[in-house]
Amino acid sequence: MRQPLSAGNWKMHGSQSSVKTLLAGIRAGLAEVRVAEVAVCPPFPYLGMVQRELSGTSVAWGAQNLSTETMGAFTGEVAASMLLDFGCKYVIVGHSERRTLYGEDDVVVARKFAVARAAGLIPILCIGETLEERERGITRDVVARQVDAIISLEGAVALADAVIAYEPVWAIGTGVTATPEQAQEVHAYIRKRVAEHDVDVADNLRILYGGSMKPDNAAELLAKRDIDGGLIGGASLKAEDFLAICRAANA
Ligand code: 13P
């Protein structure tokens, strides 16, 4: 049985006061979240506050990025060991915003994935096609390439305990959500691709959907067989909306 995961990716949003309010709101509504594991991924500067406010609760937390290096003269970078020092369980790697805006290619993403795992963090690997790629009919090729980059570096065993987030780029922040059928089709394909290497790893792999997931579309997405939770951007910034998405896994 795969436990659903609802993870909030706050991206570059927040202030000390808004983070405090958001965390208090999440804490207050946790009792009604019965099935999903809940996690939040704040910007780096708020990790300490998140650790203080969420320690002892059922909510896990993680970062949105990490360095490929472990320590040293790398100005502006943040190492996996530092994330562990702040109690992180998860780290997002390969988000499409990092791939497109910061030039992270499959090689860099695979390296970050490996560094995270080696440190004992659970990477949430983001993959997904652009609108142009979908229209050209190469969605499967794109996600296969992105998954294979991880498998070829470390084998399918690297995906044991890891999390994949399928985030069609055209659905991110646009208000356009993949239909449950469109998402299920790609999720099933991703699982099949991993199963070609290792059936057990594929069966246990949590594959989240991300891209304009909201309280009003979460339940039907989560009802699909291969959709094991969500990576939620905009809607994770409001406790009420985020909790409603987390509760959608109760059904
Ligand atoms: P939105 O939920 O704002 O579309 O963002 C999705 C996302 O990119 C999560 O990583």
Side-chain angles (χ1 to χ4, degrees):
M1 245 326 253
R2 300 185 294 265
Q3 186 191 16
L5 169 63
S6 295
N9 173 9
W10 295 357
K11 307 193 181 183
M12 199 170 72
H13 293 287
S15 63
Q16 297 209 47
S17 88
S18 73
V19 168
K20 215 167 167 46
T21 306
L22 177 52
L23 293 174
I26 293 173
R27 273 200 323 256
L30 274 180
E32 281 106 70
V33 180
R34 292 193 303 275
V35 174
E37 180 188 0
V38 179
V40 294
C41 298
F44 292 131
Y46 303 113
L47 280 173
M49 187 189 259
V50 166
Q51 182 181 34
R52 278 193 302 280
E53 302 283 332
L54 295 182
S55 290
T57 74
S58 56
V59 183
W61 57 94
Q64 300 171 16
N65 185 25
L66 83 169
S67 176
T68 52
E69 308 301 326
T70 50
M71 71 154 68
F74 301 102
T75 301
E77 292 290 284
V78 175
S81 60
M82 297 168 186
L83 303 184
L84 286 172
D85 205 16
F86 282 91
C88 288
K89 177 174 179 184
Y90 294 103
V91 61
I92 296 170
V93 299
H95 192 279
S96 67
E97 286 148 18
R98 298 223 51 93
R99 292 179 190 260
T100 56
L101 303 173
Y102 299 97
E104 293 190 11
D105 60 15
D106 287 334
V107 174
V108 169
V109 173
R111 179 102 198 273
K112 291 189 171 189
F113 187 98
V115 167
R117 273 190 75 241
L121 292 160
I122 298 178
I124 300 175
L125 171 73
C126 298
I127 61 175
E129 82 289 0
T130 62
L131 183 59
E132 192 248 289
E133 289 163 337
R134 175 162 282 263
E135 284 172 347
R136 277 170 55 209
I138 58 168
T139 296
R140 288 182 172 212
D141 302 328
V142 172
V143 297
R145 191 201 75 224
Q146 291 170 329
V147 170
D148 290 355
I150 304 299
I151 295 177
S152 56
L153 187 66
E154 292 202 294
V157 72
L159 291 168
D161 302 323
V163 177
I164 288 182
Y166 168 58
E167 301 206 307
V169 178
W170 47 272
I172 295 176
T174 57
V176 180
T177 318
T179 65
E181 292 69 31
Q182 281 175 320
Q184 165 60 25
E185 198 263 320
V186 182
H187 281 232
Y189 174 73
I190 294 165
R191 200 178 304 287
K192 181 169 150 286
R193 187 91 188 171
V194 176
E196 283 163 15
H197 298 270
D198 191 315
V199 174
D200 288 342
V201 168
D203 278 350
N204 292 323
L205 180 63
R206 290 191 288 183
I207 307 177
L208 315 183
Y209 169 78
S212 299
M213 200 181 215
K214 305 277 183 244
D216 63 2
N217 59 30
E220 52 176 2
L221 285 158
L222 295 173
K224 293 290 180 192
R225 187 194 156 98
D226 289 292
I227 302 183
D228 308 311
L231 184 57
I232 302 121
S236 73
L237 296 170
K238 270 203 206 150
E240 198 183 309
D241 289 353
F242 183 54
L243 287 163
I245 295 172
C246 296
R247 284 195 307 268
N250 288 350

